[in-house]
Amino acid sequence: MYRKRNEDVVNELGSNVQSGLSSQEVEIRREKYGKNALEEHKKETLLVKFLKSFADVLIIILLVAAVISLIVDPHEWVDSLVIFIVVMLNAILGVVQESKAEKSLEALKKMSSPECKVIRNGVTDKIPSEDLVVGDIILIEAGDFIPADARLIDAVNLQVDESALTGESVPVTKMTDVIDGDAAALGDRKNMVFSSTFVTNGRGKAVVTDTGMKTEIGKIAGMLGAQKAEPTPLQNKLDQVGKVIGIISIFICVVVFALDYFALGAELIESFKLAVSLAVAAIPEGLATVVTIVLAIGVRKMVAENAIVKKLPAVETLGCTSIVCSDKTGTLTQNKMTVLEIYDNGKLKLLSDITEENHQLINYFSICCDAKIEMVDGVEKRIGDPTETALVELNNKYGSDVSWAERVGEIPFDSDRKLMTVVIKKDGKFISITKGAPDVLLKRLSKSSKVEGVNEAIENMSSRALRVLALGIKVFDKMPEVTLDLEQDVEFLGLVGMIDPPRPEVLEAIKVAKHAGVRTIMITGDNIITATAIANELGIMGEGQRAVSSDELDSMSDEELRNRIEEFSVYARVAPKDKVRIVEAWQSKGKVVAMTGDGVNDSPALKKADIGCAMGITGTDVSKEAADMILTDDNFTTIIKAVKQGRGIYANIRKCVKYLLSSNIGEVLVILLAELIAALNILPLHVPLAGIHLLWINLVTDSLPAFGLGMEKPEDSVMFEKPRPKDENFFAQKLGLHIGLEGVVVGALTLTSYIVGFQLYGHAVASTMAFVTLAFTQLFHSYNVKSEKSVFTKQAFNNRFLNLAFIVGAIMQLAVVYIPGLNTIFQSVMLSLPQIAIAIGSAFAIVIVMEIYKLIVRLIYKNK
């Protein structure tokens, strides 16, 4: 449409510039084109989310074991019921948390559809923007959002901020002329306006050419459907843990079944029940629930830190982020042009050096503007071009009142002239004030103008990526004729230099990120000079790194970009497809990539990235839909806080897995070794632990301290560690070895307690002693797992949740032994003082063993 004359476009669309469309025609077109709204991503129903919670190896094995146990012996239904309850609880927790996140996101959306002005049936009316159809004639002015893609029919000083679509922070001056060329870029289609952009200056009339998903914003939204959501690293690692445990548990069940049935001659059903008990022992029933709750706690902490996480595992994924691809405008910068320096009376001055002698220059710059800054209900509202609002703000803060200025004539800004002129009346004189591009204005100065040092000042400011404006005046005794001659032979008055400044907190956030091994990459629609200057100021550009433009990027193949990706820290003038390529190139290097942004143009990359972080205030609905996390304060530092939180959560999850699996290994070893001892005729031992014992340990005395471990605060030291590799095994850094060794200790102490009890008091007492020993071993062991430091320090007991879990766990364990009725259900007997002393004493031995082990490790590390 931009290649056609506007009257031809109106005729082609069957509309009328004066009267617009008729009501009948609107209804016909609404049936044909549908609503002017983006298609929402189809959300999963609660039932689907609930059912997907069961798609886990451990859950499936556990459910199969419960069903088989129920079929083999329907009378012993308690174990199966407990398993079903735990599985259901875990599923419900996950669904509830996701639903909460979705509700939080809904709250961020606008309460009502924005309205627009349209001509219909010859009358101008206001309607919801979603009711627009192709062919509608719309009226737009400063402050309005553009409701659909449209071809301009009329434009008066019209400027549009298209940063949400193109990433370019400087408004685009619009016109109605035909644009030649078959493939003009969006930013060059100056006779078109696009949905979700907004008018900063002037007014216009346009005919709607596309609505809904056919608009440019709609096309980008449609690209999101092609992006496949990848599982997070935590999901992959927990799947890995589940598969390992699943394979091991099945193998052990088969071995024990064969040993019991063939070697010991037990009955088939009894051997089968024993194998099922072992499956229960091998699988940490509380693991999924503990991980879900630990992540949910992390999510709640993130809400307090101004971030809404849409899916639980996304919190942890941020913890292993190594690359943050950040949009510049509004994310690293304030998205608000700000004057930094002025040049007046031959001197370049910072704002802090401004004096009264500079008021005239600042006043005149402010007067030669169409923008204004108002307070509406206590909130500052800026109307007009950001460049001009910056000049108004400069005068409000450092100038003087200009309400006396009576504008009696004007020549509007024109992108070809690059100048704007106003005429004011002052003290009986008439003054024309001209502002604009320095290279244009300096060619129009009077011979009496003092220009010595001006070019040097312009070069100085331009080299630091400041946008420079010049100002000149002419004084008349009587009202001059308002023609372009006013812009000739002007007297030079001064310059201002402005920029979209970085957010003040971002510099420190990027420093923290560097310490944490996280590299920040700037991606922007701005020019390469401005982008480089901001990047250098923020410390983004490192040694040997450079900026690259979209044109240079387009000339590279995907393979070349992958090979050179580490060379670039800044990408300028980029398009949406460039952002996706950049993310993919980093991911090909095995990096975990986070992408921040607020515009529609960021959305495909937000979804492609491992973690998409959208802005909650300035972000579009499309970007929020594509993201994994919403930053409700639009603050870059929130991402770094999330990285720290994520690393802490991952460390806590590893502690939980280490703690729970060591217990499960201990349980399996107790039963397996007891069977071997009996098979070898060393001692006529029975099965030391009943199925209900194993479920109780796994669900209560194990899970409570695990929750406490999950509440550990992230240590500051986590931000001085390098990010974990994306493909790092969950059991890396000898975690698997530690789990195995600690499991052996747990098993050995429990079996020792059982054998002592069996020899002295018989199987019933021995089984209860083993039950108590296993429970208290885990309670004591939680403090060993909490920290690599000794438990005999003040820091060992600074987690009140863990302390409470220990006390509650101990009380509950003693309750199922000593309360009549409960001990019948749990197949335990009341222990005498010597018996309970042996059981708890055996359990405390794990603290002594682990203290010796930690001491040895510290000595080895010290020697290295």
Side-chain angles (χ1 to χ4, degrees), residues 286-316:
L287 178 60
T289 306
V290 168
V291 170
T292 301
I293 291 176
V294 168
L295 288 171
I297 290 166
V299 166
R300 284 201 298 274
K301 287 179 180 177
M302 289 309 302
V303 170
E305 297 282 4
N306 300 308
I308 295 174
V309 179
K310 291 166 69 176
K311 293 201 179 285
L312 293 179
V315 182
E316 181 277 332

Side-chain angles (χ1 to χ4, degrees), residues 126-143:
K126 266 191 173 184
I127 64 168
S129 61
E130 64 177 22
D131 290 342
L132 276 182
V133 295
V134 173
D136 264 326
I137 304 297
I138 58 173
L139 303 175
I140 52 177
E141 60 184 16

Side-chain angles (χ1 to χ4, degrees), residues 797-854:
F797 302 99
N798 61 2
N799 185 335
R800 59 191 180 93
F801 300 102
L802 185 59
N803 298 338
L804 182 63
F806 180 93
I807 293 168
V808 172
I811 291 171
M812 292 178 73
Q813 179 60 37
L814 293 174
V816 299
V817 172
Y818 288 103
I819 294 178
L822 268 181
N823 56 12
T824 303
I825 294 172
F826 284 92
Q827 301 175 30
S828 59
V829 297
M830 293 188 188
L831 299 179
S832 65
L833 187 60
Q835 291 163 355
I836 196 74
I838 292 171
I840 296 178
S842 299
F844 186 76
I846 195 167
V847 175
I848 308 301
V849 172
M850 292 308 299
E851 282 297 298
I852 294 169
Y853 174 73
K854 286 181 181 180

Side-chain angles (χ1 to χ4, degrees), residues 636-828:
F636 183 85
T637 57
T638 303
I639 301 161
I640 306 308
K641 291 176 184 175
V643 170
K644 182 177 180 180
Q645 195 68 244
R647 290 186 177 188
I649 286 172
Y650 186 72
N652 288 350
I653 289 173
R654 275 172 59 95
K655 289 175 186 176
C656 290
V657 170
K658 178 183 181 182
Y659 172 72
L660 292 171
L661 291 191
S662 61
S663 175
N664 288 95
I665 289 173
E667 292 167 18
V668 170
L669 284 177
V670 169
I671 296 173
L672 185 59
L673 291 175
E675 286 286 290
L676 279 173
I677 290 170
L680 296 173
N681 292 320
I682 299 171
L683 285 171
L685 302 180
H686 300 277
V687 179
L689 297 163
I692 194 72
H693 293 165
L694 300 171
L695 275 175
W696 175 259
I697 297 289
N698 288 353
L699 299 177
V700 180
T701 53
D702 273 4
S703 295
L704 288 176
F707 293 141
L709 290 171
M711 299 289 279
E712 282 283 296
K713 292 181 180 179
E715 297 178 11
D716 291 336
S717 60
V718 299
M719 294 306 282
F720 291 94
E721 299 169 2
K722 297 298 179 186
R724 299 184 311 278
K726 192 172 185 177
D727 56 352
E728 181 183 273
N729 190 293
F730 187 83
F731 296 100
Q733 300 170 38
K734 300 181 179 178
L735 179 65
L737 175 63
H738 292 163
I739 290 171
L741 291 174
E742 290 165 27
V744 169
V745 176
V746 171
L749 293 173
T750 305
L751 185 60
T752 300
S753 179
Y754 174 73
I755 291 174
V756 171
F758 185 80
Q759 292 287 72
L760 296 177
Y761 310 109
H763 170 69
V765 171
S767 179
T768 305
M769 288 174 64
F771 183 27
V772 171
T773 298
L774 183 58
F776 274 88
T777 298
Q778 285 304 102
L779 292 174
F780 288 129
H781 189 45
S782 62
Y783 288 94
N784 295 327
V785 174
K786 178 183 181 293
S787 173
E788 298 299 319
K789 298 174 183 176
S790 171
V791 298
F792 301 110
T793 62
K794 289 182 181 179
Q795 287 75 22
F797 302 99
N798 61 2
N799 185 335
R800 59 191 180 93
F801 300 102
L802 185 59
N803 298 338
L804 182 63
F806 180 93
I807 293 168
V808 172
I811 291 171
M812 292 178 73
Q813 179 60 37
L814 293 174
V816 299
V817 172
Y818 288 103
I819 294 178
L822 268 181
N823 56 12
T824 303
I825 294 172
F826 284 92
Q827 301 175 30
S828 59

Side-chain angles (χ1 to χ4, degrees), residues 331-379:
T331 307
L332 296 172
T333 64
Q334 299 174 28
N335 198 18
K336 184 179 79 173
M337 293 299 286
T338 303
V339 176
L340 294 186
E341 297 176 2
I342 67 167
Y343 179 81
D344 192 16
N345 296 320
K347 296 178 183 178
L348 198 58
K349 287 188 173 185
L350 297 173
L351 301 189
S352 56
D353 299 326
I354 288 175
T355 61
E356 283 193 24
E357 69 175 3
N358 307 124
H359 281 187
Q360 183 186 53
L361 174 68
I362 295 171
N363 287 167
Y364 285 173
F365 261 120
S366 175
I367 291 167
C368 192
C369 287
D370 291 325
K372 55 185 176 179
I373 300 175
E374 300 175 340
M375 294 300 290
V376 180
D377 297 327
V379 178

Side-chain angles (χ1 to χ4, degrees), residues 2-3 177-184 188 191:
Y2 60 86
R3 296 198 303 271
D177 299 341
V178 174
I179 293 174
D180 297 324
D182 293 334
D188 296 327
N191 57 9

Side-chain angles (χ1 to χ4, degrees), residues 261-545:
Y261 182 65
F262 294 109
L264 296 175
E267 292 184 10
L268 180 65
I269 290 182
E270 289 302 317
S271 297
F272 204 86
K273 285 169 65 177
L274 178 62
V276 170
S277 294
L278 259 186
V280 172
I283 296 171
E285 287 83 355
L287 178 60
T289 306
V290 168
V291 170
T292 301
I293 291 176
V294 168
L295 288 171
I297 290 166
V299 166
R300 284 201 298 274
K301 287 179 180 177
M302 289 309 302
V303 170
E305 297 282 4
N306 300 308
I308 295 174
V309 179
K310 291 166 69 176
K311 293 201 179 285
L312 293 179
V315 182
E316 181 277 332
T317 307
L318 268 164
C320 52
T321 297
S322 47
I323 301 293
V324 177
C325 295
S326 177
D327 181 51
K328 178 185 78 70
T329 306
T331 307
L332 296 172
T333 64
Q334 299 174 28
N335 198 18
K336 184 179 79 173
M337 293 299 286
T338 303
V339 176
L340 294 186
E341 297 176 2
I342 67 167
Y343 179 81
D344 192 16
N345 296 320
K347 296 178 183 178
L348 198 58
K349 287 188 173 185
L350 297 173
L351 301 189
S352 56
D353 299 326
I354 288 175
T355 61
E356 283 193 24
E357 69 175 3
N358 307 124
H359 281 187
Q360 183 186 53
L361 174 68
I362 295 171
N363 287 167
Y364 285 173
F365 261 120
S366 175
I367 291 167
C368 192
C369 287
D370 291 325
K372 55 185 176 179
I373 300 175
E374 300 175 340
M375 294 300 290
V376 180
D377 297 327
V379 178
E380 183 185 88
K381 186 175 182 182
R382 292 168 175 252
I383 301 172
D385 180 276
T387 300
E388 293 197 339
T389 56
L391 295 173
V392 173
E393 182 180 49
L394 174 69
N395 186 66
N396 289 347
K397 289 183 177 179
Y398 299 96
S400 56
D401 180 47
V402 292
S403 59
W404 52 264
E406 179 189 354
R407 188 183 293 191
V408 292
E410 66 179 289
I411 304 174
F413 176 82
D414 180 85
S415 57
D416 292 329
R417 289 182 8 262
K418 297 182 180 179
L419 296 172
M420 172 184 177
T421 298
V422 299
V423 181
I424 62 169
K425 189 175 181 181
K426 181 183 180 184
D427 299 332
K429 301 276 187 179
F430 294 88
I431 304 172
S432 71
I433 307 169
T434 301
K435 82 169 192 301
D439 57 327
V440 176
L441 191 66
L442 291 181
K443 293 176 182 177
R444 302 179 180 223
L445 298 183
S446 63
K447 292 181 180 179
S448 61
S449 288
K450 297 177 181 178
V451 293
E452 186 179 349
V454 173
N455 285 323
E456 289 81 355
I458 294 171
E459 287 178 15
N460 184 320
M461 288 191 277
S462 297
S463 68
R464 289 175 285 124
L466 298 187
R467 186 181 184 193
V468 184
L469 290 179
L471 189 102
I473 63 171
K474 289 175 78 173
V475 182
F476 301 90
D477 291 326
K478 62 180 181 178
M479 177 66 186
E481 187 177 350
V482 182
T483 67
L484 293 180
D485 288 340
L486 288 176
E487 297 175 348
Q488 299 293 337
D489 297 321
V490 299
E491 180 187 348
F492 176 77
L493 215 60
L495 307 166
V496 294
M498 63 180 69
I499 198 169
D500 179 10
R503 288 175 175 266
E505 69 277 5
V506 166
L507 181 62
E508 182 60 29
I510 290 174
K511 282 182 182 176
V512 173
K514 276 187 178 179
H515 284 305
V518 179
R519 182 172 171 184
T520 305
I521 304 295
M522 179 192 287
I523 301 178
T524 178
D526 272 351
N527 66 68
I528 197 165
I529 296 173
T530 303
T532 302
I534 294 287
N536 282 325
E537 187 175 344
L538 290 174
I540 289 174
M541 298 271 274
E543 189 177 343
Q545 297 167 5

